[in-house]
Amino acid sequence: MARPDPHSYADDAQPRTKTFEWKAVVDFSTQVLTAEVTLRFVAAAAGGVLDLDTRGLSIDGVHGPDGEPLSHVLHANDPILGARLEIAVPAGAEWIRIGYRTSPQASALQWVSPEQTLGKKHPYVFSQCQALHARSVVPCQDTPSIRQTFTASLDVPSHLRAVMGAASVGRDEKGARAVERFEMDQPIPPYLLAFAVGELASKDLSPRSRVWAEPAQVDAAAWELANVEDQLRAAEALFGPYDWERFDLLVMPPSFPYGGMENPRLTFLTPSLLTGDRSLVNVVAHELAHSWTGNLVTNANAEHFWLNEGFTVFAERRILEVLEGADIAALHAAIGYEKLKESFVVLAATPELTRLRTHLTGIDPDLAFSLVPYEKGYLFLKTLEAAAGAGPFDALLTKWLGAHRFGAATTEDFVALVENELPGLLAKVDAPAWLDGPLLPAGTWRPESARLRALEKVAGRAPTKDESKDWSAMEWHLYLEALPRPSPLAVCAELEASYALTQSKNPEVRVSFLVLACASGFAAALPSVKEVLGWTGRMKYLKPLYRALLKRAETAPLARELFARYEKQYHPIAQEVVRGLIEGS
Ligand code: BES
Ligand code: ZN
């Protein structure tokens, strides 16, 4: 017996799922999916135990190919892994079928009330399966090292639309219900299973891309995301053909807990990207980049998460460099560097979480989440690139993507490939310090550009109107990130009086200023803080704002009061993460 993933009960010695058929009835009144899944194995079972991952599921029955019920035990719930479903599989079985119901508290699902939608008329439900939440929707071998194809059919109210990270292959209406069918022929890790049901409309962006959103938002979304085909072409020129056929986008309700989620064929996006000036399309570049780094080559388990996110940040900034120029890519890298330094402060008590290769037995990846795998991973790759030269490093990337296409990889796989392709390179940059040491090693690559140098001149004080007249949202964001926390009240007051940053349409700028304001005791910003915490469920904004409020005695009660008020609006994952901050303060 071997369990190669510390976050899954999947066992190497047991039958391995190749494909599954999933049928679910979506009931908004009970907030339950009543479902059935058929798991088909790579090879007929030898006979013995199969362990599946589940979380909060009620099992109605398990059957084998002869229609016979199979004995099974649903073990006690582990707070991180969920409940092991142990099934006795007869020798020769090529598949098994499980009937089950999800819990109204399913950790992947948010059942959004009509009032929380734009249209206010219809409910909405969506999934967020990364990191360990697919198991709250489907009993499965929930480890990225077991890729699976699937078919799905969702039975939904006929006035609503279902979408999935899969090819849509038909919709049959019968009175008040409709059945929407999907197929996914490219094998995916379970964390990429994704669906949403709501009042949705779509608009084509290019022959292979359309955006879905609530009807009232679809035009704004199409405008904001108009350059998707340019992004696809730039990415293909850099990383090879796009393997997933379509690249559709779904603009989520505001409570979506992330900026974006790279669900294959259908990236999910926070509506906070719709700033009206296309200033946050780097998030699309990031999710698109995952089509190569992450979705094609997946981390074998969460301990190698930097292979997903570090490579993706690297790929994202390559795409931005092509489309917007090296100066803009350098601004993104500089913001990333500031955020990384903040992460080091937040993780001061757990420096082991600042390594690239982590040990996560007994640790929930959602609670260990930080920008370290993103930005330290990025800096490691840039440092390698600088030491190897751009040409050889590009060749290495191509090799990496080719070697693990539709596979799952570990840090050890990467080390082996680099040793083989560019001998001596790892030693030259002190790779062990990057991979297994805390914080940042000496000799780290740093971004440089004329715009960065201009910004450095304004450090620590409010800029004059003349200095800031050409600043983009990104320059504002970087300038604010680099200000000391706390900063003098006079600086906060002058910034607000001159530039009304609490009202910025760009949420990165707005939240960056609000966090600075909270950390500095600038009370005039609090109404805006309340507004943001009541409007968004994006953890990138919730976490620093709640943290900053909790840190000062005079605002800590407000953090608790706001969380009590808004908790139910947040996705279950965000509820847990923010509750952790409040309880730990
Ligand atoms: N895959 C991540 C989101 C994620 C990470 C979900 C871990 C669950 C667990 C996604 O690609 C991501 O990184 N989103 C970022 C985008 C940003 C880096 C441009 C986000 O949500 O802010
Ligand atoms: Zn990502």
Side-chain angles (χ1 to χ4, degrees):
M1 172 178 121
R3 289 186 183 145
D5 180 342
H7 299 116
S8 169
Y9 289 109
D11 188 321
D12 265 357
Q14 300 179 359
R16 186 181 173 97
T17 309
K18 181 178 167 52
T19 185
F20 63 89
E21 292 142 37
W22 183 48
K23 290 183 184 160
V25 178
V26 180
D27 184 348
F28 282 98
S29 66
T30 56
Q31 307 195 333
V32 165
L33 306 181
T34 302
E36 176 186 284
V37 68
T38 305
L39 305 180
R40 289 183 192 275
F41 307 131
V42 171
V49 164
L50 172 67
D51 289 318
L52 297 178
D53 297 302
T54 77
R55 192 196 298 284
L57 301 182
S58 307
I59 305 299
D60 294 325
V62 185
H63 291 269
D66 300 330
E68 76 286 20
L70 301 182
S71 68
H72 57 275
V73 183
L74 187 60
H75 289 272
N77 189 62
D78 175 272
I80 298 170
L81 277 83
R84 173 162 66 101
L85 174 60
E86 183 185 349
I87 300 170
V89 180
E94 291 178 340
W95 55 267
I96 59 161
R97 182 165 297 153
I98 304 163
Y100 68 97
R101 280 155 298 137
T102 60
S103 154
Q105 284 80 41
S107 59
L109 301 182
Q110 185 171 13
W111 298 86
V112 180
S113 66
E115 306 75 65
Q116 268 190 280
T117 65
L118 268 183
K120 310 282 180 215
K121 280 218 251 353
H122 301 291
Y124 192 114
V125 63
F126 67 89
S127 66
Q128 165 57 46
C129 285
Q130 196 180 16
L132 311 178
H133 306 289
R135 64 195 66 177
S136 74
V137 178
V138 187
C140 61
Q141 292 176 303
D142 191 6
T143 171
S145 59
I146 302 188
R147 282 183 180 259
Q148 304 161 39
T149 57
F150 67 84
T151 63
S153 82
L154 293 180
D155 181 322
V156 302
S158 56
H159 54 279
L160 301 182
R161 200 58 226 240
V163 290
M164 276 196 90
S168 167
V169 293
R171 175 180 164 106
D172 308 311
E173 297 213 10
K174 234 197 235 157
R177 306 290 296 182
V179 173
E180 303 228 26
R181 287 176 284 108
F182 302 90
E183 279 175 19
M184 189 63 186
D185 292 335
Q186 295 113 328
I188 57 155
Y191 76 82
L192 292 178
L193 181 73
F195 75 93
V197 182
E199 190 192 8
L200 294 171
S202 75
K203 203 161 175 174
D204 281 347
L205 302 171
S206 90
R208 55 177 162 171
S209 183
R210 72 170 57 97
V211 62
W212 290 94
E214 281 197 63
Q217 211 162 35
V218 75
D219 285 329
W223 184 87
E224 198 85 29
L225 305 169
N227 84 338
V228 156
E229 184 59 31
D230 295 342
Q231 294 206 22
L232 271 156
R233 292 200 185 144
E236 287 189 303
L238 289 163
F239 313 119
Y242 180 74
D243 265 310
W244 305 87
E245 227 171 303
R246 293 198 58 88
F247 182 67
D248 293 337
L249 302 147
L250 173 64
V251 177
M252 308 301 292
S255 61
F256 187 60
Y258 292 96
M261 178 65 213
E262 66 273 25
N263 297 315
R265 306 177 66 113
L266 183 66
T267 277
F268 286 15
L269 293 175
T270 168
S272 66
L273 298 191
L274 307 184
T275 52
D277 62 3
R278 297 180 178 150
S279 57
L280 292 177
V281 292
N282 75 293
V283 178
V284 177
H286 178 93
E287 306 313 335
L288 172 62
H290 272 305
S291 306
W292 289 266
T293 50
N295 298 6
L296 259 197
V297 179
T298 302
N299 52 208
N301 63 53
E303 296 183 335
H304 310 281
F305 188 49
W306 80 276
L307 294 176
N308 267 21
E309 296 300 346
F311 275 73
T312 297
V313 171
F314 181 89
E316 167 198 341
R317 291 185 186 145
R318 291 292 295 273
I319 296 171
L320 290 175
E321 203 176 312
V322 172
L323 293 178
E324 298 180 19
D327 248 24
I328 299 291
L331 277 173
H332 281 280
I335 293 170
Y337 184 74
E338 293 300 326
K339 296 261 180 199
L340 178 61
K341 286 193 292 185
E342 282 166 38
S343 302
F344 289 157
V345 174
V346 171
L347 296 172
T350 49
E352 64 283 2
L353 292 179
T354 69
R355 302 173 186 175
L356 288 179
R357 175 163 41 197
T358 50
H359 301 289
L360 296 180
T361 299
I363 297 178
D364 181 339
D366 285 343
L367 301 181
F369 179 90
S370 80
L371 288 180
V372 168
Y374 291 75
E375 297 296 345
K376 183 176 175 182
Y378 168 75
L379 290 174
F380 179 43
L381 295 175
K382 290 301 286 184
T383 302
L384 285 170
E385 181 189 43
F393 190 75
D394 274 357
L396 181 79
L397 258 188
T398 306
K399 270 255 153 103
W400 174 248
L401 295 177
H404 299 284
R405 240 178 90 78
F406 288 107
T410 61
T411 304
E412 298 80 80
D413 292 325
F414 181 66
V415 165
L417 182 88
V418 183
E419 275 298 76
N420 210 33
E421 298 299 315
L422 299 168
L425 178 64
L426 292 172
K428 194 167 161 191
V429 304
D430 193 7
W434 282 96
L435 297 172
D436 301 314
L439 309 176
L440 280 180
T444 300
W445 174 91
R446 290 287 304 275
E448 265 180 53
S449 82
R451 289 169 78 163
L452 284 177
R453 283 191 293 278
L455 272 180
E456 275 159 20
K457 296 207 185 88
V458 197
R461 57 172 173 87
T464 65
K465 289 269 168 178
D466 194 49
E467 281 170 326
S468 62
K469 67 179 188 301
D470 296 325
W471 283 9
S472 64
M474 246 177 355
E475 275 150 322
W476 272 108
H477 185 190
L478 177 57
Y479 157 76
L480 290 168
E481 287 298 317
L483 283 178
R485 275 129 215 260
S487 276
L489 279 176
V491 172
C492 297
E494 189 183 345
L495 283 170
E496 180 60 7
S498 304
Y499 303 106
L501 295 176
T502 61
Q503 307 306 316
S504 171
K505 294 218 174 3
N506 185 298
E508 301 288 330
V509 173
R510 184 179 185 190
V511 171
S512 191
F513 180 67
L514 293 177
V515 172
L516 172 81
C518 290
S520 310
F522 181 60
L526 290 177
S528 181
V529 172
K530 290 181 200 169
E531 202 184 316
V532 171
L533 294 177
W535 169 70
T536 188
R538 186 175 178 189
M539 288 193 283
K540 185 180 185 187
Y541 304 144
L542 299 184
K543 285 200 283 183
L545 284 171
Y546 275 109
R547 258 193 217 114
L549 290 176
L550 287 165
K551 204 166 164 202
R552 289 178 76 105
E554 72 268 30
T555 49
L558 179 64
R560 291 164 201 278
E561 181 195 319
L562 293 174
F563 182 60
R565 189 182 315 160
Y566 297 132
E567 175 177 16
K568 291 210 173 51
Q569 293 180 191
Y570 301 152
H571 186 283
I573 300 172
Q575 291 183 18
E576 191 187 347
V577 165
V578 178
R579 194 175 304 118
L581 296 181
I582 294 204
E583 285 168 2
S585 71

